[in-house]
Amino acid sequence: MKKFLMATDLSARSDRALERAVMLAQDHEAYLTIAHVIDEDLPSALSDAQEDAAKHAIDEYVDKLAAGKRDRISIKVVCGRAHADILDMSEKVEADLVILGMHREDAFKDRFRGTTAERIIRAGGVPVLLVKDRVIRPYQQVIVGVDFSAFSRRAVEFAVQFVPSGKFHLVHAYGVPFEGFLYGHDTKRQVAKLQEVEFEKMINEEMATFLASLDGKVAGVERVMKQGTVREVIFEQARRLKPDLVVMGTHGRTGIAHAFLGSVAEDLLRAPPCDVLAVKSF
């Protein structure tokens, strides 16, 4: 990973993302492009003034963060539409990662169009890091949600490359099949227990196969397999482990399905327990 793009709206939320972006760029010895998009509907005189003010504000803040090490950092201010121009710029700079701050909520617009992060993830192919927390240290504790698919494998591989010294917790949620069709308290309890034992054995085997498919790319990993919905298990483990980062793999879809991320991904992006990294796989 040698090229990062960070998009800022000059808010306090974006300041956290900018701090993280500068730290990551220095840690990875990567080139960092910092972008700000001005609304294209503004009158030219006002947009010109905003462009100058934005460049000055970003320049000053970067000076403080980079401690003079600015040879790999550039600033670009453009007029346009936020998500579209961020996507366009990520392609132009050949970014390996897009970094964003938390979105200012607009319940009506978000319901129908999605947040800026959601729209960038849907339309783009580059991993997106959503920064929520203040920057205290490099990422250390990392949760990766896995379902043993190729999408999960891509997420784990990218996460290991992104946080090479991290402690990884691979979290898998499962439900016991046909549990809802059992009748009678005693029968349901006994049969459900047998099913759960057998199903847990199968899940352990699937996790072992999944880890083997990673070819030793991740060492010292904690395997967490819990019964429940994905949403319940991910948020429960986030409360228990207090991670710095949650990683999720998203599907590279086309057509109508391309417009949907899924409820778990949306929950994580709109109310994240910590920073969230979405890795898209095609």
Side-chain angles (χ1 to χ4, degrees):
M1 288 183 288
K2 292 300 179 184
K3 296 179 182 179
F4 298 158
L5 173 68
M6 185 272 157
T8 175
D9 62 5
L10 305 180
S11 67
R13 296 176 299 277
S14 283
D15 285 350
R16 296 181 181 187
L18 182 54
E19 290 174 22
R20 180 62 72 181
V22 171
M23 175 184 283
L24 288 170
Q26 291 177 340
D27 289 346
H28 287 270
E29 298 182 349
Y31 289 93
L32 173 63
T33 301
I34 302 168
H36 175 68
V37 181
I38 298 170
D39 191 336
E40 64 184 5
D41 292 333
L42 289 175
S44 59
L46 186 55
S47 65
D48 288 345
Q50 282 203 10
E51 180 178 350
D52 292 339
K55 285 180 178 177
H56 180 72
I58 296 169
D59 195 63
E60 280 195 332
Y61 199 47
V62 169
D63 266 341
K64 294 178 183 178
L65 295 173
K69 299 177 181 178
R70 296 197 47 173
D71 55 311
R72 292 171 181 249
I73 299 176
S74 60
I75 300 169
K76 294 186 182 295
V77 180
V78 299
C79 290
R81 297 292 181 189
H83 78 284
D85 282 273
I86 292 168
L87 283 168
D88 182 60
M89 204 174 300
S90 72
E91 292 181 4
K92 287 180 178 177
V93 303
E94 298 179 327
D96 300 301
L97 177 72
V98 172
I99 304 167
L100 304 171
M102 286 292 291
H103 171 79
R104 181 186 288 109
E105 290 188 8
D106 186 323
F108 180 79
K109 289 181 180 179
D110 290 351
R111 179 179 179 184
F112 293 99
R113 299 188 308 182
T115 66
T116 299
E118 288 170 19
R119 296 166 83 181
I120 289 172
I121 293 167
R122 287 183 193 132
V126 179
V128 174
L129 174 65
L130 183 67
V131 178
K132 174 196 176 186
D133 293 335
R134 294 187 180 281
V135 180
I136 300 174
R137 63 187 184 187
Y139 293 130
Q140 295 177 359
Q141 297 287 336
V142 183
I143 284 178
V144 187
V146 298
D147 61 4
F148 311 140
S149 67
F151 308 106
S152 292
R153 187 178 302 111
R154 163 69 175 149
V156 174
E157 290 172 346
F158 188 90
V160 172
Q161 183 185 12
F162 185 54
V163 191
S165 60
K167 169 65 176 177
F168 290 89
H169 310 268
L170 304 190
V171 177
H172 176 73
Y174 66 90
V176 177
F178 310 120
E179 188 176 26
F181 292 94
L182 301 175
Y183 296 97
H185 179 71
D186 291 338
T187 300
K188 183 173 182 178
R189 183 176 59 185
Q190 292 172 13
V191 175
K193 184 63 178 176
L194 289 172
Q195 283 186 324
E196 186 174 345
V197 170
E198 289 301 314
F199 202 65
E200 283 182 356
K201 180 181 177 181
M202 184 181 73
I203 293 297
N204 273 287
E205 291 173 354
E206 288 192 42
M207 177 66 85
T209 301
F210 179 76
L211 287 172
S213 74
L214 295 171
D215 297 323
K217 291 185 175 68
V218 55
V221 63
E222 179 190 8
R223 298 180 290 179
V224 181
M225 291 163 285
K226 294 284 186 179
Q227 185 177 350
T229 67
V230 178
R231 180 190 289 104
E232 290 169 348
V233 173
I234 290 290
F235 279 90
E236 173 193 321
Q237 294 307 308
R239 288 190 294 270
R240 179 178 75 89
L241 296 167
K242 296 179 173 54
D244 307 301
L245 182 67
V246 171
V247 182
M248 60 181 182
T250 62
H251 294 217
R253 295 169 173 163
T254 58
I256 295 175
H258 184 68
F260 298 95
L261 280 176
S263 59
V264 177
E266 289 176 355
D267 284 350
L268 282 170
L269 291 170
R270 297 188 184 189
C274 59
D275 293 4
V276 173
L277 174 64
V279 181
K280 194 168 186 177
S281 180
F282 291 90

